[in-house]
Amino acid sequence: MADLCTVRYIRSHMSISVTPKDLLDAGVHFGHQTKRWNPRSKPFIFDHRQGVTIIDLAKTHGNLEKACAFIENTVANGGNVLLVGTKRQAKDIVREAAAATGMPFSVDRWLGGTLTNYETVKKSIAKYKRYQQMETSGEMQKLPRKEESAIKREMSRMQRNFNGIAEMGGMPSAVFIVDVGHEAIAVAEAARCGIPSIALVDTNSDPTLITYPIPGNDDAVKSVRIIVDTIVAAIQAGLAQRDTRRAQRGADAKAAAQAASEPPAPAPALAPGEVDLTRVEIPADVAAANAAEAALRKPVRPRKVPVKAE
């Protein structure tokens, strides 16, 4: 049912600008050596040639469309996507993507427990922000030099660990990962927390661990960049839809408040000879006589239903 909804959303909303020819030019079709391939990636493999696995770009393009549709819909509904890419080829690309979209990211190292132990991580992030505030306000300079040096060393370690996730504000709605094998801990944590995962999966990895796998070369910079750029376009489209919906809700609320503050419309004018019965006052003596008559009136008792003997 979820796949059917995704397909319907793709047909009605999402249309990525990347074509299979663009994927071919970027080298997305090159997999790993045949001796290193994962048998579970067989549905996405086109052929084995000269000891290298060739990925079926038609399936790559179709899965990329599904992933982009899911991301756009998630972001449009107010969700965030955590971008993960700590390998050397993906660091700068993922950092640029996070800067372009304002999404949280992890490019230096994946901190174990970022998702499964988020409450503890959140407390450490609050401590890191408190240290930053102390450094900005000059309060740290008033501390003894030994204590100041210890805090700065701890801040340097926290900077490496929390860079990109300090402003996440809560659990992400989805996780995008480059290289499933290299980010095995992040994949496992997302699965354990029930967070949908989107990933660039090479032929040496298991695509069944990912909610929306995108088969492709995760080692070449050009291949990683074209996939990440397409994901960035989907996130930006979702952000634009989010802003449009927010503006529409604000306009509707303003119109409702304006309608509630307006005075009621005047009653229609009466024709000559008509009398407005709602404004007719009953004389006091007539009202008292009606009340006395109602008090003397005997209440009507319910009739008892005869019970037949068996």
Side-chain angles (χ1 to χ4, degrees):
M1 180 61 69
D3 293 339
L4 180 60
C5 294
T6 303
V7 171
R8 290 177 178 174
Y9 186 86
I10 292 173
R11 291 175 179 174
S12 59
H13 292 78
M14 191 67 196
S15 179
I16 61 176
S17 59
V18 177
T19 63
K21 179 66 167 56
D22 298 330
L23 299 176
L24 180 66
D25 294 339
V28 180
H29 60 292
F30 289 119
H32 278 271
Q33 296 176 346
T34 53
K35 63 181 180 181
R36 297 181 58 190
W37 80 297
N38 191 315
R40 293 187 177 180
S41 64
K42 185 177 181 179
F44 303 116
I45 291 177
F46 178 75
D47 198 3
H48 299 280
R49 295 182 181 177
Q50 299 179 358
V52 178
T53 304
I54 306 300
I55 298 172
D56 190 349
L57 290 182
K59 294 182 179 179
T60 300
H61 189 266
N63 283 25
L64 183 59
E65 280 189 332
K66 291 181 181 179
C68 289
F70 170 75
I71 289 177
E72 181 179 345
N73 190 30
T74 300
V75 175
N77 291 330
N80 289 334
V81 180
L82 176 60
L83 308 177
V84 182
T86 61
K87 64 188 300 183
R88 178 177 54 84
Q89 298 92 324
K91 276 187 177 183
D92 295 336
I93 300 174
V94 172
R95 186 182 284 109
E96 293 172 5
T101 57
M103 292 293 163
F105 63 95
S106 176
V107 295
D108 293 322
R109 65 180 290 265
W110 177 261
L111 181 64
T114 299
L115 300 179
T116 54
N117 195 21
Y118 181 72
E119 291 301 322
T120 303
V121 172
K122 186 166 64 173
K123 294 178 182 177
S124 300
I125 292 175
K127 183 179 180 181
Y128 173 58
K129 290 182 178 180
R130 187 169 63 252
Y131 285 162
Q132 285 182 324
Q133 187 177 4
M134 290 173 60
E135 186 178 21
T136 304
S137 62
E139 184 180 352
M140 189 178 297
Q141 298 177 357
K142 301 177 182 178
L143 298 175
R145 181 166 297 180
K146 186 175 181 180
E147 186 176 354
E148 180 183 358
S149 300
I151 292 177
K152 286 186 175 180
R153 285 195 300 270
E154 188 175 3
M155 285 183 64
S156 178
R157 178 182 59 82
M158 289 179 169
Q159 170 68 21
R160 292 193 303 270
N161 292 337
F162 304 140
N163 183 27
I165 64 172
E167 304 298 333
M168 189 162 60
M171 294 285 281
S173 302
V175 180
F176 172 74
I177 301 170
V178 178
D179 195 342
V180 174
H182 194 268
E183 311 294 347
I185 299 177
V187 173
E189 289 192 20
R192 184 172 182 179
C193 295
I195 299 175
S197 55
I198 307 97
L200 179 59
V201 184
D202 212 329
T203 56
N204 66 334
S205 303
D206 184 2
T208 61
L209 301 175
I210 306 300
T211 311
Y212 294 93
I214 305 172
N217 185 356
D218 60 11
D219 295 317
V221 175
K222 289 180 65 177
S223 174
V224 174
R225 182 171 292 280
I226 192 172
I227 298 298
V228 172
D229 287 347
T230 308
I231 297 297
V232 167
I235 294 175
Q236 290 175 342
L239 290 173
Q241 290 188 29
R242 183 194 298 182
D243 294 340
T244 303
R245 294 178 184 178
R246 188 176 300 167
Q248 183 63 36
R249 287 196 298 266
D252 293 344
K254 185 177 180 180
Q258 185 177 1
S261 62
E262 291 180 354
L270 298 175
E274 291 184 346
V275 179
D276 188 359
L277 299 179
T278 59
R279 298 184 179 182
V280 175
E281 296 182 0
I282 301 176
D285 54 348
V286 176
N290 291 339
E293 183 180 355
L296 295 175
R297 191 177 303 159
K298 294 182 179 180
V300 179
R301 295 181 180 179
R303 183 179 180 185
K304 294 183 179 181
V305 180
V307 180
K308 296 182 179 179
E310 295 182 357

